[in-house]
């Protein structure tokens, strides 16, 4: 077996190429556009399959340096925060509470399915959380954090491999089902977004009106504001850690940006601020696209071989359950409107994948059907903030 590790700059360059391959395929294959599959997902999955073939056929294990990806994640979520006007947050109060309640209920359902399936199939003790909220709602980060504890508690020596493989497959499924589910709801109920500028991403429509100037000055000003917000976010993250609150760094940056965007323009109205500008939409779109391309192309799909037929069956059941819950609980209770359909598309990322996957699905949907700014505020807060805390308690219950 030969290992090839691409350094950071090369990995970033490959990710850009991967995105353009996905964009070209989406442009040529109408079904991909109709199913709201993001360009980065199309290209990233193709690249992941290529590395799988290299591993199986040529005996080459390809890996990528993902340092640039982590910075892009901070840029993206900070951009969401900078777009979060107080009026939107107030309007999102009730939907935020409803979505949080729906997510907490599904966290329980997901773990019940995992426990029942593991018992029915006679799977090893301790594997339940790896087939439930630890790897699916929690994703790779939560899996990696809890795997050593499962090894120690249950003697499950391959806990890391099983958890990472389950999280990887969940990410793939979430990337592929969110867009089609939302597209089905939008078509079924004849929904359409408002005629408003996109808060995340730029429209693919060449005739879409341009609300403001986009040039090197506005772009650099936007990046400067983003950088300042991220730097403050680092400080906030360290303060929270000192107080015993360990959360993902991008959550601190998101919350910091929300505060800044609702304070700074009021006390310094003459200062340039990038809220709802094309420059911020451009940076957000670029950051999310390359982040997702890097995430998917770096998946080592050969690790899925560690799942086995029984575990694949459990994940198939989890997928069916997630889709059913989205269609019959999330969409109706969120209001059966356009925002509800966009959130339904993003909920696959909450239930099976990761927050960036959810946002990528929603971005692809809104580019085609119209803006949904409230969805981009409440879903990240639920999936990246509140649910992480609840998930820790749920995993702790099963471990103990």
């Amino acid at each position: 077996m030969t290992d090839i590790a691409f350094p950071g700059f090369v990995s970033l360059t490959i990710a850009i190429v991967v995105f353009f391959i996905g964009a070209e395929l989406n442009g040529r294959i109408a079904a991909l556009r109709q199913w709201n599959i993001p360009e980065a997902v199309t290209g990233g999955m193709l690249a992941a399959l290529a590395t799988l073939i290299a591993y199986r056929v040529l005996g080459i294990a390809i890996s990528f340096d993902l340092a640039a990806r982590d910075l892009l994640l901070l840029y993206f979520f900070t951009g969401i925060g900078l777009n979060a006007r107080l009026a939107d947050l107030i309007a999102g109060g009730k939907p935020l509470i409803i979505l949080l309640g729906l997510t907490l209920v599904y966290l329980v359902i997901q773990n019940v399915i995992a426990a029942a399936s593991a018992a029915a199939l006679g799977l090893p003790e301790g594997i339940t959380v790896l087939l439930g909220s630890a790897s699916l709602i929690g994703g790779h980060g939560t899996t990696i954090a809890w795997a050593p504890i499962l090894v120690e508690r249950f003697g499950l020596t391959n806990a890391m491999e099983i958890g990472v493989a389950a999280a990887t497959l969940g990410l793939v499924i979430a990337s592929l089902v969110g867009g089609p589910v939302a597209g089905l709801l939008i078509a079924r109920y004849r929904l359409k977004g408002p005629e408003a500028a996109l808060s995340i991403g730029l429209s693919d429509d060449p005739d879409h009106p341009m609300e403001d100037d986009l040039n090197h000055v506005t772009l650099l000003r936007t990046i400067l504001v983003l950088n300042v917000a991220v730097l403050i976010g680092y400080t906030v993250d360290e303060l929270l850690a000192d107080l015993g609150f360990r959360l993902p760094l991008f959550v601190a940056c998101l919350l910091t940006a929300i505060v800044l965007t609702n304070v700074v323009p009021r006390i310094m109205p003459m200062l340039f601020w990038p809220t709802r500008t094309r420059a911020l939409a451009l940076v957000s779109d670029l950051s999310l696209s390359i982040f997702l391309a890097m995430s998917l192309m770096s998946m080592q799909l050969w690790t899925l071989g560690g799942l086995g037929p029984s575990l694949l069956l459990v994940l198939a059941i989890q997928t069916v359950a997630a889709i059913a819950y989205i269609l019959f609980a999330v969409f109706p209770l969120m209001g059966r409107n356009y925002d509800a359909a966009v959130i339904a598309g993003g909920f696959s990322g909450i239930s099976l994948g990761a927050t960036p996957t959810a946002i990528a699905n929603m971005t692809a949907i809104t580019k085609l059907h119209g803006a949904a700014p409230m969805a981009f505020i409440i879903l990240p807060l639920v999936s990246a903030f509140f649910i992480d805390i609840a998930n820790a308690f749920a995993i702790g219950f099963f471990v103990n």
Side-chain angles (χ1 to χ4, degrees), residues 180-205:
V181 167
L184 173 67
L185 292 171
I186 290 171
R188 170 69 178 80
Y189 292 93
R190 299 180 181 179
L191 304 173
K192 185 176 177 60
E195 294 294 331
L198 296 175
S199 57
I200 301 295
L202 296 175
S203 174
D204 292 329
D205 183 359

Side-chain angles (χ1 to χ4, degrees), residues 41-400:
V41 170
T42 304
M45 285 304 305
L46 189 62
L49 291 173
T51 60
L52 175 61
I53 293 172
Y55 181 85
R56 295 296 189 191
V57 178
L58 303 176
I60 300 174
I62 297 174
S63 60
F64 301 92
D65 184 331
L66 301 178
R69 183 192 69 169
D70 297 335
L71 176 60
L72 292 171
L73 181 67
L74 297 183
Y75 266 174
F76 175 72
F77 279 103
T78 303
I80 290 179
L82 292 178
N83 274 325
R85 290 171 175 157
L86 184 59
D88 294 327
L89 295 175
I90 294 173
K94 182 178 178 181
L96 175 64
I97 294 172
I98 294 174
L99 183 61
L100 176 59
L102 285 165
T103 307
L104 291 174
V105 169
Y106 190 74
L107 187 149
V108 175
I109 293 173
Q110 189 171 77
N111 283 319
V112 168
I113 292 173
S117 300
L121 296 171
L123 298 178
E125 186 181 12
I127 204 172
T128 297
V129 292
L130 295 176
L131 301 179
S133 64
S135 60
L136 298 179
I137 286 179
H140 289 83
T142 303
T143 299
I144 293 170
W146 283 91
I149 299 174
L150 294 174
V151 173
E152 179 182 350
R153 175 70 175 81
F154 299 102
L156 193 65
T157 56
N158 59 344
M160 182 71 75
E161 290 76 12
I162 293 173
V164 169
T168 300
L169 185 58
L171 185 67
V172 172
I173 296 170
S175 300
L176 296 176
V177 305
V181 167
L184 173 67
L185 292 171
I186 290 171
R188 170 69 178 80
Y189 292 93
R190 299 180 181 179
L191 304 173
K192 185 176 177 60
E195 294 294 331
L198 296 175
S199 57
I200 301 295
L202 296 175
S203 174
D204 292 329
D205 183 359
D207 297 325
H208 191 273
M210 303 303 180
E211 289 79 10
D212 56 73
D213 291 332
L214 175 62
N215 53 52
H216 68 287
V217 175
T218 57
L219 190 59
L220 284 174
R221 285 175 173 172
T222 298
I223 293 174
L224 176 61
V225 173
L226 282 166
N227 284 1
V228 171
V230 168
L231 289 172
I232 297 173
Y234 270 104
T235 304
V236 171
D237 183 66
E238 292 177 357
L239 292 174
L240 291 174
D242 291 340
L243 294 173
F245 296 98
R246 176 57 65 183
L247 296 170
L249 175 59
F250 71 82
V251 175
C253 292
L254 171 66
L255 295 176
T256 297
I258 290 175
V259 173
L260 290 176
T261 206
N262 286 285
V263 173
V264 174
R266 293 178 181 274
I267 62 177
M268 303 177 68
M270 300 302 294
L271 182 68
F272 169 84
W273 201 253
T275 299
R276 306 290 167 84
T277 61
R278 292 176 60 222
L280 183 57
L282 176 63
V283 175
S284 297
D285 204 7
L286 183 152
S287 299
L288 179 62
S289 296
I290 304 304
F291 170 88
L292 195 57
M294 294 186 78
S295 296
L296 293 177
M297 78 182 194
S298 63
M299 290 190 305
Q300 297 179 325
L301 293 179
W302 53 88
T303 61
L304 297 179
L307 285 175
S310 296
L311 306 187
L312 287 173
L313 174 61
V314 177
L315 288 180
I317 295 171
Q318 292 283 23
T319 301
V320 173
I323 294 174
Y325 191 76
I326 291 169
L327 292 175
F328 299 110
V330 174
F331 178 67
L333 292 177
M334 291 304 298
R336 295 183 184 272
N337 54 22
Y338 176 69
D339 276 322
V342 174
I343 290 172
F347 198 85
S348 67
I350 295 180
S351 57
L352 296 170
T355 304
T357 308
I359 300 298
N361 287 343
M362 295 197 303
T363 300
I365 296 162
T366 54
K367 279 186 176 182
L368 186 62
H369 299 285
M374 185 179 67
F376 285 95
I377 297 300
I378 66 173
L379 189 139
L381 287 175
V382 169
S383 64
F385 182 65
F386 296 110
I387 201 61
D388 273 351
I389 299 173
N391 199 15
F393 284 105
I395 296 170
F397 171 80
F398 280 99
V399 170
N400 295 319

